Amino acid sequence: TAINNFASARAAVFGCYSEMQDPTLAFDGWLSNNQMFSDEAIHTGTFPTRLEFGSLAVFPANTTMAAVFSDFYDVINECNNVIAALESGIEDPGLTDAVVNGFLGEVRFIRAYCYWYLTNNWGDVPLITEPTREVTNEALQVPNTSRSAVLDQIVSDLTFAEANLGSGSAVRVTSLAASAMLARAYLTAGDYTNALAKAELVINSGSYTLEANYADAFATSSAEAIFYLNFTTVDGNSNAFFYFPADKGGRLSISPSPALIASFTADDTRFDATIDTASVPGTPHCAKYQDVAAGTDPIYFIRLSEMYLIAAEAAADGGDFATADGYIN
């Protein structure tokens, strides 16, 4: 009953974005677990559960993994509750069909984004599209759904979002953000034709341009920004604190791996914007998160450059190496 008019519906939609800012997701879920498990980063902190990710030996009792897994479903459950409320037919002049479908598009995108992370990290996972409103074994012990079915749901949610959203700021989901995520989802599913088509749709939209200076790609005003999670001085994250060494006010829980450092050539202008090796000699650390005091660094979910890489990979997988070469260049 809390969602009963335009104002409360809008607040509930914003609440889904807010749930994505959960501290566990902001560092472990969206970033560090994947960075360590992909070997682009190594564990340099003191938390033994994070060390398991760094050593590629994550045990079932790992509490960090449990928290991340559960927090993805916290976001999904908020989305499911908002969807159920909006689809129930709230009577309010401000909630026109277009407004309702726009709100639904944002929330279904967020749900799809969480499921994309879940299925890429765990494979088969419980697919829950209805609100969970009671704490019972039947409600909570949900069996896994096949990864292919989860990807189908992701595509369905994103297709709805693409059709019912417009343009706007990169801090809220737009139609082109949904197109960009569809490109990623289709590539994941091996549908290279549709992956290329959606990536090219975003590239050719004229709404985004590549930054001439690589470091500018991570500013909140970046011309590359398609969708990012926004943080403010009253609602910040601890990412810079976890990435920075003690000399800069952090705890260095995670560091760039030697393999990542070695992968840059000497003339690669991206290096200094990615890894700081100068400010604290002998302690390389991430340079993309800087605000230790207030935690206002955004988390970039989708940038234009990814669309070029998806287009290149999809074209190559389809045998069109000339197109792939063009996008890489």
Side-chain angles (χ1 to χ4, degrees), residues 70 80 94 111 119 143 155 163 188-189 207 209 214 216 219 224 254 266:
S70 298
N80 288 340
R111 180 172 71 179
T119 193
V155 169
T188 302
S207 297
T209 56
Y214 179 72
D216 293 338
E224 286 194 35
I254 182 172

Side-chain angles (χ1 to χ4, degrees), residues 32 60 73 98 148 157 201 230 244-245 254 258-259 321 326:
S32 73
Y73 280 101
S148 61
D157 279 344
L201 174 65
N230 192 44
F244 272 10
I254 182 172
F321 298 107

Side-chain angles (χ1 to χ4, degrees), residues 50-80:
R50 289 174 177 156
L51 175 60
E52 290 180 10
F53 282 90
S55 58
L56 307 184
V58 183
F59 291 90
N62 187 295
T63 54
T64 296
M65 180 177 69
V68 168
F69 188 85
S70 298
D71 285 345
F72 279 130
Y73 280 101
D74 281 345
V75 182
I76 289 167
N77 196 43
E78 287 212 18
C79 292
N80 288 340

Side-chain angles (χ1 to χ4, degrees), residues 90 103 112 115 120 168 197 203 215 220 280 301 303:
I90 303 167
F103 284 160
Y115 272 123
N120 273 284
I203 291 168
T220 54
V280 183
F301 285 153
R303 293 191 292 121

Side-chain angles (χ1 to χ4, degrees), residues 216-267:
D216 293 338
F218 302 98
T220 54
S221 57
S222 171
E224 286 194 35
I226 296 176
F227 177 52
Y228 64 85
L229 191 59
N230 192 44
F231 292 86
T232 69
T233 55
V234 296
D235 198 6
N237 60 61
S238 299
N239 292 339
F241 171 73
F242 286 123
Y243 284 117
F244 272 10
D247 289 12
K248 298 177 70 172
R251 66 177 298 149
L252 200 66
S253 290
I254 182 172
S255 299
S257 69
L260 179 65
I261 294 172
S263 70
F264 288 87
T265 58
D267 61 347

